[in-house]
Amino acid sequence: MNKITNHLPTKELQALDAAHHMHPFTANGDLAERGARVITRASGVTLTDSDGIKIMDAMAGLWCVNIGYGREELAEVAARQMRELPYYNTFFMTTHVPAIALAKKLADLAPGDLNHVFFSGGGSDANDTNIRLVRTYWAQKGKPSKQVIISRHNAYHGSSVGSASLGGMTGMHAQGGLPIPGIEYIDQPHWYAEGGDSDPEEFGLERARQLEAKIADLGEENVAAFIAEPVQGAGGVVIPPASYWPEIQRICDAHEILLIADEVITGFGRTGNWFASQTYGIRPDIMTIAKGLSSGYAPIGGSIVSDEIAAVMADCEFAHGYTYSAHPVSAAVALENLRIMEEEKLVEHVRDVAAPYLKEKWEALADHPLVGEAKIVGMMASVALTPDKATRAAFASDPGTVGFICRDRCFANNLIMRHVGDRMIIAPSLILTRDDIDTLIERATKSLDETYAQVKAKGLLVAK
Ligand code: PXG
């Protein structure tokens, strides 16, 4: 066979892709008929496809390319590290400089006494680490009955057996016999979808207090931890009411429950601080990290744990680890990514420049006839599509029908904006300029207008 390169015609690449490549979270039969869009290169916030079309990526890849595409420094560091030490393990009383330096850097950046890092290849396996870690921690402390982990419906914590069990996605639980035992769920603080006529702050408190009720049901002596994303990402960029996190923190403190903040999406500048735990005043015992840690240039994730947890775990051999824990190339790339973020003051750029401007423009989308709410924190945002703004009604059509139309219009207008059901979401790179933001909003508005016209024409503008 000929060598497969960017120079093959798009149709040929699509046919080969359909023949051999199984895509994640995809009905591969449907995709084979449509043909996958072939992305060939990227620079800054712009992707180029195999037909030479340029697309603004308002999802930063998959919520990860925080510093933007095409940074030569990261390529240089990866090549240098591969030449010097492409791989060595850290299992058997050995270590290496990228692991040491990255762990130290993360201890400096992370809030409070989160000073110890257990590395993984991404977010799913880091959350698998967390399941075993918190259960082992309590056993080590002489409280082996503290095993249950409480999570939330519509949470996303990964796709492995353990992390998908921690997640609250019913569609995922339906495949492969999930969840594993010992995971319990409370409702999400999603006022727009589930709050009815309640006051949002009251609703936030009520949803937080479900945690206290669940702990009481299960018995405090049986609960190990509570895990949550500070802002739900894959669930639809669900920003909790301000009342929510302080109450959750109070409950975890009062009942000796470890608090795991899954910062895989919200970490590394996304909300205008290094971590969303700082944005929301959360004091986690463990933070899950991945994605923006390396800006997606190399796979790496981990769990940053408190002094207390590390001290307790130091007295046992934790029989856990991955071949690629602290992979030297990924660790070196992550360090360089963090160096660039600091040198170019990207977190400050988000806080002082990009996020305030994006907020002003994004919130104005709420005036669109198809939009029920427009919410944003830092550089992650959502709009809810609705046939009836006054009542926040859902569409009568299957969930996601209208969202998919909108996502298609965005694709046609060279903007990557995702849909989660009938919510549209963005999480662009942190480097966005005001001009980029103007372009993003212009394309989003055009796509919403076109969606509105299509939805009307198809008779889909009907409330459930
Ligand atoms: N925790 C959170 C909060 C995540 O968002 C993971 C853990 C798992 O990380 P890895 O690196 O194992 O994928 C994630 C991942 C989507 C989507 O459709 C989101 C993620 C992954 C795939 C798709 O928005 N987030």
Side-chain angles (χ1 to χ4, degrees):
M1 202 201 338
N2 289 334
K3 204 168 159 219
I4 299 174
T5 71
N6 275 353
H7 302 294
L8 283 187
T10 300
K11 284 265 178 267
E12 234 172 280
L13 289 169
Q14 287 172 329
L16 286 164
D17 186 70
H20 302 294
H21 178 199
M22 298 172 76
H23 290 244
F25 281 93
T26 299
N28 281 281
D30 288 352
L31 180 64
E33 273 175 32
R34 291 169 69 95
R37 196 156 181 176
V38 183
I39 305 301
T40 51
R41 55 187 65 247
S43 174
V45 297
T46 307
L47 307 169
T48 305
D49 76 6
S50 52
D51 296 327
I53 295 173
K54 296 201 179 304
I55 313 150
M56 174 181 265
D57 181 9
M59 279 308 297
L62 203 45
W63 322 78
C64 56
V65 188
N66 288 14
I67 64 165
Y69 297 97
R71 296 296 303 239
E72 281 294 322
E73 303 94 317
L74 298 190
E76 290 297 330
V77 158
R80 203 183 315 138
Q81 187 59 46
M82 277 195 195
R83 292 195 181 99
E84 197 171 297
L85 181 72
Y87 178 77
Y88 201 69
N89 76 73
T90 52
F91 281 45
F92 307 119
M93 306 204 165
T94 56
T95 190
H96 50 69
V97 172
I100 299 166
L102 183 58
K104 161 77 171 116
K105 183 78 215 166
L106 289 169
D108 290 347
L109 289 176
D113 69 347
L114 298 177
N115 287 320
H116 313 265
V117 190
F118 195 105
F119 287 107
S120 66
S124 302
D125 43 344
N127 278 326
D128 280 5
T129 298
N130 292 339
I131 295 173
R132 302 193 63 209
L133 181 71
V134 297
R135 290 175 173 173
T136 309
Y137 163 85
W138 285 116
Q140 280 294 114
K141 284 195 51 131
K143 297 185 177 181
S145 67
K146 281 175 87 67
Q147 293 286 298
V148 176
I149 301 170
I150 301 174
S151 178
R152 306 183 297 181
H153 298 298
N154 199 36
Y156 189 85
H157 296 298
S159 196
S160 59
V161 169
S163 62
S165 296
L166 283 180
M169 301 275 176
T170 46
M172 293 179 77
H173 289 180
Q175 295 175 331
L178 305 187
I180 58 169
I183 317 284
E184 296 280 335
Y185 309 89
I186 59 173
D187 290 323
Q188 57 180 337
H190 194 346
W191 178 82
Y192 178 87
E194 300 174 3
D197 294 333
S198 67
D199 171 71
E201 298 307 325
E202 272 304 309
F203 176 78
L205 282 179
E206 264 170 43
R207 287 287 156 107
R209 285 174 189 155
Q210 281 193 9
L211 177 60
E212 200 152 43
K214 184 64 97 177
I215 294 167
D217 267 7
L218 294 163
E220 187 174 319
E221 67 285 5
N222 297 317
V223 181
F226 173 66
I227 183 167
E229 306 151 79
V231 177
Q232 286 154 265
V237 183
V238 179
I239 300 169
S243 58
Y244 183 75
W245 274 111
E247 187 65 0
I248 290 283
Q249 183 71 58
R250 180 194 68 73
I251 293 165
C252 289
D253 291 346
H255 298 283
E256 224 191 6
I257 306 298
L258 296 175
L259 176 50
I260 308 170
D262 185 338
E263 294 251 18
V264 166
I265 282 178
T266 52
F268 304 101
R270 174 77 38 215
T271 68
N273 286 295
W274 277 95
F275 297 98
S277 292
Q278 295 155 325
T279 305
Y280 289 98
I282 307 166
R283 285 176 283 101
D285 300 287
I286 300 177
M287 248 168 31
T288 319
I289 53 169
K291 293 193 189 273
L293 168 58
S294 65
S295 280
Y297 280 64
I300 185 164
S303 307
I304 315 183
V305 313
S306 68
D307 288 341
E308 216 272 322
I309 293 178
V312 170
M313 292 300 288
D315 291 335
C316 77
E317 180 189 324
F318 185 31
H320 179 79
Y322 307 108
T323 301
Y324 299 133
S325 287
H327 191 286
V329 176
S330 297
V333 168
L335 263 173
E336 181 66 4
N337 172 58
L338 299 177
R339 188 195 66 74
I340 291 173
M341 286 188 68
E342 281 191 315
E343 189 178 281
E344 299 183 2
K345 298 192 170 13
L346 274 184
V347 179
E348 291 84 345
H349 171 72
V350 169
R351 193 188 57 212
D352 301 333
V353 181
Y357 190 62
L358 181 61
K359 182 177 161 75
E360 180 193 323
K361 300 276 166 181
W362 189 264
E363 286 179 345
L365 294 176
D367 295 335
H368 194 278
L370 198 57
V371 171
E373 74 164 359
K375 298 284 270 187
I376 180 164
V377 58
M379 302 297 275
M380 56 194 299
S382 53
V383 293
L385 306 183
T386 178
D388 185 351
K389 290 166 79 81
T391 60
R392 317 200 300 271
F395 290 95
S397 48
D398 286 344
T401 307
V402 175
F404 191 77
I405 293 173
C406 188
R407 170 239 176 248
D408 253 9
R409 295 324 308 150
C410 293
F411 238 54
N413 290 318
N414 298 322
L415 174 69
I416 305 264
M417 170 153 85
R418 283 263 317 277
H419 80 112
V420 173
D422 295 317
R423 269 180 107 74
M424 304 307 299
I425 60 175
I426 59 163
S429 295
L430 311 185
I431 58 169
L432 240 59
T433 61
R434 289 165 74 100
D435 281 352
D436 294 330
I437 291 169
D438 288 340
T439 305
L440 191 165
I441 295 293
E442 196 184 296
R443 292 183 190 177
T445 306
K446 182 163 187 276
S447 305
L448 285 168
D449 288 346
E450 291 171 3
T451 305
Y452 188 57
Q454 267 200 29
V455 165
K456 250 186 169 162
K458 289 184 172 167
L460 292 172
L461 206 61
V462 180
K464 201 169 178 171

